[in-house]
Amino acid sequence: MAATLYIVATPIGNLEDISLRALRILKEVAVIAAEDTRHSRKLLSHYGIATSLVAYHEHNEEARGAQLLNRLEAGQSVALISDAGTPAISDPGFHLVRRCRAAGVSVVAVPGPSALTAALSVAGLPCHRFAFEGFVPPRKKAREDLFTALRDEARTLVFYEAPHRLRASLEAVVGIFGTHRQVAVARELTKKHEELFSGSATEVSAHFAQGEVRGEIVLLIAPAEKGAAPREDVPTALERLGAEQDLPPAELVRRVAKATGEPRSQVYQEYLRWKEKRL
């Protein structure tokens, strides 16, 4: 049979979650391309799999991808795995898959664990429609810009997040999506210290502000409510509040930010332009 690139999902925590088919494929292929060979070797050792491992990650995917394609074209099947879950879903893999498909090499999914679907299935938020946005941007402005653009999204939003940035992201959720928007945080899914905490944005933010946060994080935000009154845009709110009351600039910016849901830094820039036009 022709060589095949297998995209193999591996456990996100509990080693028992791997499928029988995945175990068979990992034993049969000529080589396994892994995001972190040291991490993946623990899984393979647990199941007595001695297949050769090579590293395939974001820093070498161009060169290593070419090498793997050469092996595939020479008739050797390859399995691609990530550190956890399904490869190419916010993990390396997309470029290799595209390269193989362009070259006419067979690409086959061996489905299984995914933190994305695991979190959605237990969060208690609407999941018939959802939008996966990958990792939350690490920088404040990029994070706030993204959240602002998604504030009125009619689907449940799903993000991956690093534990050391979760508090900042939840604070941004409160400020942009509103204090009452329903939110869920799934942490360490399938592992010993698994946690799922849900509630209003304010409640969830307060919960995770109490101590150090550890582990892999999935952040879910409920859809905007149907029929909710549209928010004012910043120029409209500035005109209304600025005309109605003689407010100090800082207070005016604070109230406009609250009324519009926009970050104060953005409102302040709009305020400066608004003030200049009125002079």
Side-chain angles (χ1 to χ4, degrees):
M1 294 181 65
T4 298
L5 171 66
Y6 293 99
I7 308 302
V8 182
T10 54
I12 59 176
N14 192 317
L15 295 183
E16 295 179 358
D17 289 338
I18 196 164
S19 72
L20 295 175
R21 182 182 176 213
L23 291 175
R24 177 177 61 80
I25 293 296
L26 293 176
K27 291 176 181 177
E28 292 179 352
V29 294
V31 65
I32 298 171
E35 186 177 3
D36 183 335
T37 56
R38 293 169 300 178
H39 179 88
S40 296
R41 193 166 281 115
K42 298 176 183 177
L43 171 68
L44 301 183
S45 297
H46 182 81
Y47 285 104
I49 299 172
T51 306
S52 176
L53 272 174
V54 297
Y56 176 82
H57 47 72
E58 62 178 340
H59 302 297
N60 75 346
E61 58 184 344
E62 181 64 30
R64 183 51 52 83
Q67 294 170 7
L68 292 171
L69 180 57
N70 288 338
R71 298 185 70 154
L72 286 156
E73 291 180 326
Q76 298 182 10
S77 289
V78 174
L80 176 66
I81 62 176
S82 62
D83 286 350
T86 302
I89 308 300
S90 283
D91 273 326
F94 160 70
H95 294 290
L96 179 58
V97 170
R98 184 168 63 176
R99 173 176 276 177
C100 286
R101 292 185 63 84
V105 172
S106 174
V107 181
V108 172
V110 183
S114 169
L116 161 65
T117 53
L120 267 170
S121 70
V122 297
L125 297 178
C127 53
H128 56 289
R129 296 181 66 217
F130 63 90
F132 176 57
E133 292 289 334
F135 279 91
V136 177
R139 296 187 178 277
K140 180 179 180 180
K141 186 179 186 306
R143 179 169 58 238
E144 291 181 346
D145 287 348
L146 177 62
F147 283 176
T148 299
L150 295 171
R151 183 175 55 207
D152 298 320
E153 174 60 58
R155 297 169 292 179
T156 293
L157 297 169
V158 187
F159 302 89
Y160 289 160
E161 183 55 294
H164 62 281
R165 293 198 296 264
L166 179 62
R167 292 181 189 174
S169 287
L170 289 173
E171 290 173 1
V173 169
V174 172
I176 295 172
F177 290 88
T179 58
H180 298 295
R181 183 70 67 95
Q182 291 298 295
V183 172
V185 171
R187 186 179 68 82
E188 291 289 81
L189 286 169
T190 79
K191 300 178 184 177
K192 181 178 179 180
H193 300 292
E194 176 177 328
E195 177 185 17
L196 175 68
F197 190 88
S198 60
S200 69
T202 300
E203 291 168 339
V204 176
S205 181
H207 174 77
F208 286 100
Q210 295 176 8
E212 183 181 3
V213 180
R214 295 181 179 180
E216 303 296 325
I217 305 291
V218 183
L219 169 63
L220 305 98
I221 303 172
E225 292 184 13
K226 292 182 178 179
R231 293 174 182 260
E232 286 183 293
D233 57 30
V234 173
T236 301
L238 283 169
E239 286 293 339
R240 177 175 63 81
L241 292 170
E244 288 178 358
Q245 306 174 46
D246 185 18
L247 297 172
E251 180 62 16
L252 177 58
V253 168
R254 187 190 71 80
R255 294 194 186 188
V256 170
K258 183 177 180 180
T260 62
E262 300 289 349
R264 289 193 193 184
S265 58
Q266 183 174 329
V267 172
Y268 181 68
Q269 295 303 317
E270 290 279 356
Y271 163 76
L272 293 178
R273 289 189 284 269
W274 174 78
K275 181 180 178 182
E276 185 176 349
K277 290 178 182 178
R278 292 171 62 90
L279 292 177

